């Protein structure tokens, strides 16, 4: 992993060989003073050395207590986003707090960014599938030529590339099932799930804002902005 300071309080880290690697995210929410929305800070283990097997990592993550984390971080809500498997080959992420590692339970994570939601109760209840969510972060995902990528196409033609699959809804979902996942999905009218093999490297960037869509399994796809 290489480290390049950007400005005080942030650091950019690059990690390779990430495809299929287990990771997870914890989002701590603080309610808005004047409405149902909330702001948040999210912590992610992506790119940190991981000695546990996939199943062991999943078990450790599922053993975390959201109520204990809410109290520890003085939050009003917690979203346990995972466990997950990363789908990019290389990730470059601008982390907050100078890349400081924070233990979330017994899982080390870094501060990855912020997100604001209009309805905290709705998000913590059932995540809205196929509805775009804006996340404040600066990232670059690289998918190597020759790899398969898995994409959602919206009715308006926007293209979203799968950045990580989630095992929150289906704990047995794995990378090998992705080529035929579209057969199981309940896609809204006008949406398409497609699989293609890359002729060239594909780079999916976010410079301050990432636009994300979740499917019904809570796997997340980032919009490809040319």
């Amino acid at each position: 992993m290489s480290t390049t300071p950007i400005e005080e309080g942030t650091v950019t880290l690059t990690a390779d060989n990430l495809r299929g690697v287990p990771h997870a995210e914890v989002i701590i929410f603080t309610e808005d003073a004047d409405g149902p929305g909330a702001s948040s800070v999210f912590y992610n283990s992506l790119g940190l050395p991981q000695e546990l097997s996939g199943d062991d990592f999943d078990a450790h993550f599922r053993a975390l207590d959201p109520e204990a984390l809410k109290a520890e971080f003085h939050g009003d809500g917690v979203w346990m986003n995972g466990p997950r498997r990363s789908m990019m080959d290389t990730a470059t992420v601008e982390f907050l707090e100078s890349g400081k590692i924070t233990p979330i339970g017994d899982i080390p994570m870094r501060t990855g960014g912020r997100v604001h939601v209009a309805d905290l109760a709705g998000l913590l209840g059932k995540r809205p599938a196929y509805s775009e969510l804006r996340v404040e972060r600066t990232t670059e995902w690289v998918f190597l030529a020759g790899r398969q990528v898995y994409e959602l196409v919206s009715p308006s033609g926007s293209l979203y590339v799968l950045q990580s699959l989630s095992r929150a809804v289906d704990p047995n979902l794995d990378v090998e099932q992705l080529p035929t996942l579209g057969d199981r999905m309940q896609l809204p009218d006008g949406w398409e799930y497609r699989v293609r093999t890359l002729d060239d490297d594909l780079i999916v960037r976010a410079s301050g804002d990432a636009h994300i869509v979740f499917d019904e399994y809570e796997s997340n796809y980032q919009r490809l902005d040319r």
Side-chain angles (χ1 to χ4, degrees):
M1 176 172 280
S2 60
T3 304
T4 306
I6 297 236
E7 60 186 25
E8 184 177 355
T10 68
V11 67
T12 293
L13 306 176
T14 297
D16 301 310
N17 302 310
L18 289 176
R19 191 176 176 95
V21 171
H23 69 286
E25 190 171 70
V26 172
I27 302 99
I28 310 294
F29 288 98
T30 302
E31 293 176 336
D32 293 344
D34 57 352
S39 58
S40 73
V41 174
F42 61 84
Y43 300 88
N44 197 305
S45 66
L46 184 67
L48 284 165
Q50 183 52 254
E51 298 180 357
L52 297 172
S53 70
D55 288 342
D56 287 342
F57 178 89
D58 293 356
H60 278 243
F61 182 73
R62 291 191 176 104
L64 296 176
D65 182 349
E67 289 301 314
L69 291 174
K70 186 166 69 172
E72 178 182 352
F73 288 89
H74 308 289
D76 298 308
V78 177
W79 176 10
M80 308 299 291
N81 188 10
R84 295 185 162 273
R85 300 290 184 268
S86 55
M87 294 307 304
M88 73 289 290
D89 295 284
T90 297
T92 299
V93 181
E94 182 183 311
F95 289 101
L96 307 181
E97 299 185 299
S98 300
K100 179 183 72 174
I101 296 175
T102 299
I104 307 295
D106 61 354
I107 300 176
M109 296 191 182
R110 288 191 174 99
T111 310
R114 301 181 179 88
V115 61
H116 184 272
V117 297
D119 182 358
L120 178 59
L123 184 77
L124 295 180
K126 182 175 177 56
R127 254 64 69 187
Y130 307 104
S131 178
E132 193 174 273
L133 178 69
R134 184 179 66 85
V135 179
E136 292 181 23
R137 71 179 189 208
T138 297
T139 55
E140 179 179 281
W141 314 138
V142 179
F143 302 81
L144 296 178
R147 295 286 203 185
Q148 280 191 333
V149 292
Y150 311 95
E151 299 169 330
L152 290 174
V153 185
S154 76
S156 66
S158 293
L159 177 64
Y160 302 84
V161 182
L162 180 64
Q163 69 179 51
S164 70
L165 70 83
S166 175
R167 306 186 99 192
V169 174
D170 179 355
N172 297 312
L173 184 62
D174 59 33
V175 176
E176 288 71 25
Q177 297 175 36
L178 292 176
T180 59
L181 185 64
D183 297 337
R184 298 166 48 190
M185 299 169 81
Q186 302 298 313
L187 292 165
D189 289 344
W191 283 82
E192 176 189 357
Y193 176 83
R194 71 183 191 187
V195 181
R196 63 188 178 104
T197 300
L198 295 173
D199 294 324
D200 302 294
D201 292 354
L202 174 65
I203 300 176
V204 181
R205 294 186 177 94
S207 298
D209 284 331
H211 299 269
I212 304 299
V213 163
F214 293 90
D215 66 20
E216 62 262 48
Y217 298 100
E218 296 193 6
S219 297
N220 59 329
Y221 304 72
Q222 181 173 317
R223 194 176 77 194
L224 179 61
D225 296 321
R226 300 290 189 180

